[in-house]
Amino acid sequence: MAKYMWLTSLSAGITGHHRGSMSSVAVPFYQRRHKHFDQSYRNIQTRYVFEEYAKRKAASRQAAYYESSGLGKTTCRLCARRARTLAHEAMQESRKRSHEQKSHVSDEKRIRFASELSALEKEIHTARHRAREHLDKLAVQRMVEESMALERHIIEERISRAPEILVRLRSHTVWEKMSVSLCFTVQGFPTPVVQWYKNEELISPASDPTKYRIESKYGVHVLHINRADFDDSATYSAVATNVHGQASTNCAVIVRRFREEEEPHPAAIMPFHLPMSYDVCFTHIDVQFLEKFGVTFATEGETLTLKCSMLITPELKRLRPRAEWYRDDVLIKDSKWTKLYFGEGQAALSFTHLNKDDEGLYTLRMVSRGGISECSAYLFVRDAAALIAGAPGAPMDVKCHDANRDYVIVTWKPPNTTSESPVIGYFVDKCEVGLENWVQCNDAPVKICKYPVTGLQEGRSYIFRVRAVNSAGISRPSRASEPVAALDPVDLERTQTVHVDEGRKIVISKDDLEGDVQIPGPPTNVHASEISKTYVVLSWDPPVPRGREPVTYFIEKSMVGSGSWQRVNAQVAVKSPRYAVFDLAEGKPYVFRVLSANKNGISDPSEITEPIQPQDTIVLPSAPGQVVATRNTKTSVVVQWDKPKHEEDLYGYYIDYSVVGSNRWEPSNHKPIKYNRFVVHGLETGEQYVFRVKAANALGLSENSQESEAVTVQAALTCPSYPHGITLLNCDGHSMTLGWKAPTYSGGSPILGYYMDKREANHQNWHEVNSSLITQTIYTVEDLIEDAFYEFKVAAANLVGIGQPSDPSEHFKCKAWTMPEPGPAYDLMICEIRNTSLVLLWKAPVYEGKSPITGYLVDYKEVDSEDWITANEKPTPKRYFKVTDLHEGHTYVFKVRAVNDAGIGKSSEISEPVLVEERPGTKEIYSGVDDEGNIYLAFECKEATDASHFAWGKSYEEIDDSHKFKIETEGNHSKLYFKNPDKSDLGTYSISVSDTDGVSSSFVMDDEEFERLMALSYEIKNPTIPLKSELAYEVLDKGEVRFWIQAESLSPDSTFRFVINDKEVENSERHKINCDRPNGIIEMVMEKFTIDNEGTYTVQIQDGKAKNQSSLVLIGDAFKKVLEESELQRKEFLRKQGPHFSEFLYWKVTEECEVLLSCKVANTKKETDFKWYKDGSGVDVEELPDLQQGECHLSIPKLSRKDEGVYKATLSDDRGHDVSSLELSGKVYDDIILALSGMSGKSASPLKILCTEEGIRLQCFLKYYNEEMKVSWCHRDSKISSGEKMKIGGGDDVAWLQITEPTEKDKGNYTFEIFGGKESYKRTLDLSGQAFDDAYAEFQRLKAAAFAEKNRGKVIGGLPDVVTIMDGKTLNLTCTVFGNPDPEVVWFKNDKAFEIDEHYAFSLEQGKYASLTIKGVTSEDSGKYSIHVKNKHGGETVDVTVSVYRHGEKMPEIKPGQLAKPRPIPPSEVPKPEQK
């Protein structure tokens, strides 16, 4: 269809040259879904041609009118065709004459134009001629088809008839493993559709292709049963159906087993033909729903399918009903979000990605000729988990309105905020179709659910989404809107399309008819189409005429009274006749005007609008009125409320619910509903709920309504459901005993009884059996005709009324039962369904046979299986059986067969299919004992209704013995009390709750449980006074012994007595007895506890009927322990009468790593003397402790082994003496060192590098270090042991690791770790890279310096610093020098070298003994003498002061024993003595 979306210019249709040059141009993808109009035909020549074409068109219509009216209005097609031909020829002659007149025009241009026009006319003529021929062919073909259809219909009407069976089915009796073929012949038109049934169940060969095969040829229909077995014994029916009616035939197939005694016919199988009605006729398609979709709960983002299976009768391929899906009565079509399917007896609606937009009431309508069948259910879609905790749910129902060239209004609905904080605004995002780039449209959140989006690009399509904002964050985005095109819808009205032959068309624009317009006129009808508090949307009509050039608009605003105009869109012109004006002052009125513009200029302003004041035109809705909640079903409640006072512009309502007492609200619906009535689903049966409602409009949500009254979730009162399972239990030839099962649901009220109807098999009318209610589910119908067939139906009644009757029973023959085997068991009931087991109950057959019933066999099978399994190998004598080893999640059916001496009797009716799966929340019976000591069994059922009955049973027989049991039921709780419990009460107890979905449970009372309950009952009936504490003792401060016992509580009337060694003691000075009854404390205090008090102590208490006693045996070691403790406490008491230590000596480590020996003193005075001792010797302290402060300390600054010993502290005054000692050695010393390690480790500095001449030293500075501290050094995670290479040591405040002669192997991480008890402290240093290089270089330097220091020249002894000598004496200065190599020795006097002569003599013996000799010293020899010793490594200078005194003078005093101090000489320094 793309070729119809593009329009070719008129010149392209005139000549092939033009057609070739005006090829279509590729169009952007975003324009392909919209119609675009080529406006390139705007020229004078085209307009003239169009006028000529219009004249010819008018002439043609006039001729056609003449043909239809002037020629006698003939209806013959050939005549009409001939008339058209004559008219056409006349028109051709007219055209020729016109052409001849025009041919005289001499203008060359006119001739060329005429020739082109002639070619166009010829082309049009040819096209019209071909079109007429094609239309004539189609008309003839249509006439032939209509004629044939009419004849076919007449023939079919003559031969059509309802199905008629010519040859009927006949019954067969065969042996097992034989094959059976059932055939019949039927005729009818249309050809009937045949369906086969076994016992009224449809036979499908596809379900078991090896068993059944169906053939249909020439009206003969055959059912082949391959290798028949005993279960194939049944009544087989064939039903033929067409649109005119229905016919059926049936027969019986009996499969016998090959043995001497043939089995009787299976129940409900009759070996002969039964009368059947043949007047069943239908005129429409019947649709019967088999499985309906129910109320569904889902979450945003999930996929979901709603399914509904159905039976369509008749199932005709060409005549099928139409499946229509509706959401809230709006038809649903296939889309990106929803997919529809209908076929194979199933209709489905699939959701590819759920959103809250999908929430609503879904209805499936099957539309056929006979009417409409429908089913409905609600789909709830919860919010997906918020991306940010506390963020609101996503908005919904995003729609676009009033789209134009660059403008659109986006609307949405607000989310429900039940537990989240309120929504404060919304962000609107846009995205161009085909892209995935979402752009936010508004900078600040918009508070109203409506926003005008501007700035769209003309011709492009957009989608929009919305996000909600609250104080916690931003919600997930909503579902995207439907695409909307940025086009002016008026453009379509301003164009007209004229279709010509061969698919060509001509588009005429209204702009071409307006003439030349240079500057457009002003817009008209300027008004406000949208008004809110934050913006005003202006709308106007385009100028008329507006001209051919594109028109844009400028908007101006003026605050009323200001007198000035301000252009709103000065930067960007507006293309659409809509514009949203923002940034208006709140509460101020404005006027507006609009100007049109094109490329030629700007128009005059439009008329000024009326004053417009920005304000919200709608208000937040008021809260809804009274909320009323009423019962509906077991899981739903109907909620109704009064509408708010102002319900205009409401989006709908949100309903919240809360469990009574929880104060936690949950949302019921997640999309606003428009009605003031709603069914809240998904509630818990038996729970109490309250409800509230809030209204929603564009401004947001109203306040919550008042809460409803609390309502309990239970089914509303209705009529009971229908009974089922009607079974023939006995027949004597004149009466029949029938049994049936009670309705599944009683309708919320107890069932009062039943009504039964009967009819003979060949009669149409039902007859009442009983006029008064039948109170049991078994009844004997009298006065029946022998050998006649009857069918029955039963209806239940309660207070509300009579419910629907059951389905008619099988046809029962009134013939006396004489078989020796028993009849069928009946009233099968299944209870206690768990994951792999269930319990089956039944009632004994009414007909026992010729001998009593000895037991029962229980059979079961899976629904899809054909093989029955017998659950018990031996018949059980009980009428209940627990079937185990079932498969969880599988569906089973069951039947029971009674056994007597004659054999196995008739099988019971097959039970309903049961899904073996434990229901969520299943509760069990529990046992207990009440406050009076009564033993009970209890059960709770939240699903119970007012009509529910708790039926207790023992061995699954209902309990009716009021002498042994008492039943109390209140609400949804029931208790079974044992009045006089004994061993006969052992067994299995059961309970079932009626009017529920099979709620039941059982409890086994065995010996162990019975004994436990009896013991608990005895304790309650024979109470003992509960004790918080048994009889105990404690030694008091003075050495007194207190015996005490504490009960839970004692009344004022309670009594007690103390017994010691079987003798009661009374309250006395020696035995002080006291009782604190409010606290339940009884005590006895013995002031003096001596060796005579050994024995047994007993307290006996009585309080009303309750008694108790407690004993304490104090004999042997137990007594000695008490006695020693008593004496110790007495001595301690005496010690504390004088000055004493309240806390004995203990040690602690301070943050400065000092050890403090501390003690606390008490009862001191000024005269009290305090002293410290170590190992018996007094310890001097700088300051005596202040005893009034109560604490004394002795500080040990740097703990070491020398501080080990026994420390004592003494107190003494005239009142007494006390001593406290502490041995600081062994483990105590180790503990202190460990504590010091921990405290010191906290102060450890980072490892530092210190280089020495021996190597590199890593050291850590601490507040305290002792070699006994537990420390370790590690290199590359390997522990280092102290040795020649690695030496570990430390000082008072430093720990170090010496790396001797470091090498490359010594690089790496070093770790120093101090262990301080529970914690350790590590310091790490990376000795590699530059750090190692720098340290190594420093080590080499220091090593070289040390070597030089060791080998330099030096004076190693012998020279004093001062020498005193008398003149005339000889002075000899001798010293030992050292150096390697041998040093050079030079002597100086007063820093000047002197030469050797007779007066001065130098000597150097053996290279190490240097001497200076001065002969005959004089006073001139006084002065400073220096020896200079130096080699290549350096040297030193030693100065000696020589003082010469004369004879008779007092010798100067000098300090003895002082040697001269050398001065070092660097290796590079060369002494330069002064010249003489």
Side-chain angles (χ1 to χ4, degrees), residues 269-522:
I269 304 301
M270 301 302 170
F272 39 79
H273 176 70
L274 296 176
M276 191 169 183
S277 174
Y278 294 99
D279 56 353
V280 179
C281 180
F282 66 90
T283 58
H284 67 279
I285 295 177
D286 180 54
V287 178
Q288 180 182 358
F289 292 111
L290 302 179
E291 283 188 30
K292 299 181 180 181
F293 59 92
V295 175
T296 307
F297 296 88
T299 305
E300 281 189 307
E302 296 178 346
T303 58
L304 176 70
T305 300
L306 301 180
K307 297 180 181 178
C308 192
S309 60
M310 62 199 74
L311 177 64
I312 302 174
T313 309
E315 189 173 354
L316 306 176
K317 293 183 178 180
R318 296 187 179 182
L319 190 61
R320 299 173 59 194
R322 184 172 69 255
E324 296 178 348
W325 288 89
Y326 293 84
R327 178 176 59 241
D328 298 329
D329 291 331
V330 177
L331 182 64
I332 300 174
K333 298 181 179 180
D334 260 328
S335 67
K336 174 184 178 181
W337 310 109
T338 54
K339 304 296 180 184
L340 306 178
Y341 170 78
F342 175 51
E344 300 180 357
Q346 188 179 77
L349 172 63
S350 297
F351 300 88
T352 57
H353 186 282
L354 280 171
N355 282 85
K356 290 187 292 186
D357 304 61
D358 299 316
E359 182 171 291
L361 180 65
Y362 283 80
T363 303
L364 170 62
R365 293 177 182 165
M366 302 302 299
V367 183
S368 63
R369 291 184 180 180
I372 297 176
S373 301
E374 65 179 37
C375 65
S376 300
Y378 210 90
L379 169 61
F380 294 89
V381 182
R382 294 183 290 265
D383 284 297
L387 299 176
I388 302 174
M396 69 212 80
D397 200 16
V398 180
K399 294 182 179 179
C400 301
H401 308 273
D402 199 18
N404 219 292
R405 285 191 177 96
D406 57 357
Y407 162 89
V408 70
I409 283 188
V410 181
T411 63
W412 59 91
K413 291 179 180 177
N416 188 10
T417 52
T418 303
S419 57
E420 303 84 5
S421 58
V423 173
I424 59 177
Y426 304 89
F427 285 116
V428 181
D429 304 332
K430 69 179 178 181
C431 178
E432 196 171 322
V433 173
L435 302 180
E436 295 183 357
N437 183 25
W438 287 93
V439 179
Q440 187 171 299
C441 300
N442 51 320
D443 297 329
V446 59
K447 296 184 179 181
I448 192 171
C449 296
K450 183 186 297 184
Y451 186 73
V453 180
T454 58
L456 305 180
Q457 296 189 29
E458 184 177 2
R460 300 192 180 184
S461 294
Y462 294 87
I463 55 177
F464 298 88
R465 70 182 188 188
V466 183
R467 295 168 294 149
V469 185
N470 69 359
S471 58
I474 302 177
S475 73
R476 292 177 178 269
S478 67
R479 174 181 284 178
S481 68
E482 293 295 327
V484 61
L487 295 173
D488 188 355
V490 180
D491 282 347
L492 299 178
E493 301 175 3
R494 295 180 60 83
T495 57
Q496 180 178 359
T497 303
V498 178
H499 294 270
V500 297
D501 294 330
E502 296 184 358
R504 288 194 295 270
K505 44 191 146 183
I506 300 173
V507 178
I508 306 301
S509 173
K510 188 176 180 181
D511 297 345
D512 295 329
L513 307 178
E514 294 178 347
D516 281 340
V517 177
Q518 296 298 320
I519 298 177

Side-chain angles (χ1 to χ4, degrees), residues 873-945:
E873 296 180 359
K874 296 182 180 179
T876 175
K878 302 175 182 178
R879 291 197 300 276
Y880 64 91
F881 188 80
K882 186 173 185 177
V883 184
T884 58
D885 298 329
L886 302 177
H887 297 290
E888 183 179 357
H890 291 213
T891 303
Y892 294 85
V893 292
F894 301 85
K895 65 181 181 180
V896 177
R897 294 174 292 162
V899 180
N900 64 5
D901 294 340
I904 302 174
K906 288 186 177 184
S907 171
S908 68
E909 286 287 328
I910 298 176
S911 70
E912 299 87 359
V914 179
L915 176 64
V916 179
E917 186 175 70
E918 183 174 319
R919 295 179 55 198
T922 297
K923 295 184 179 297
E924 303 291 352
I925 297 174
Y926 61 93
S927 60
V929 180
D930 65 9
D931 295 338
E932 301 296 327
N934 299 315
I935 299 175
Y936 65 84
L937 299 179
F939 187 72
E940 178 186 2
C941 176
K942 287 190 175 182
E943 299 179 13
T945 65

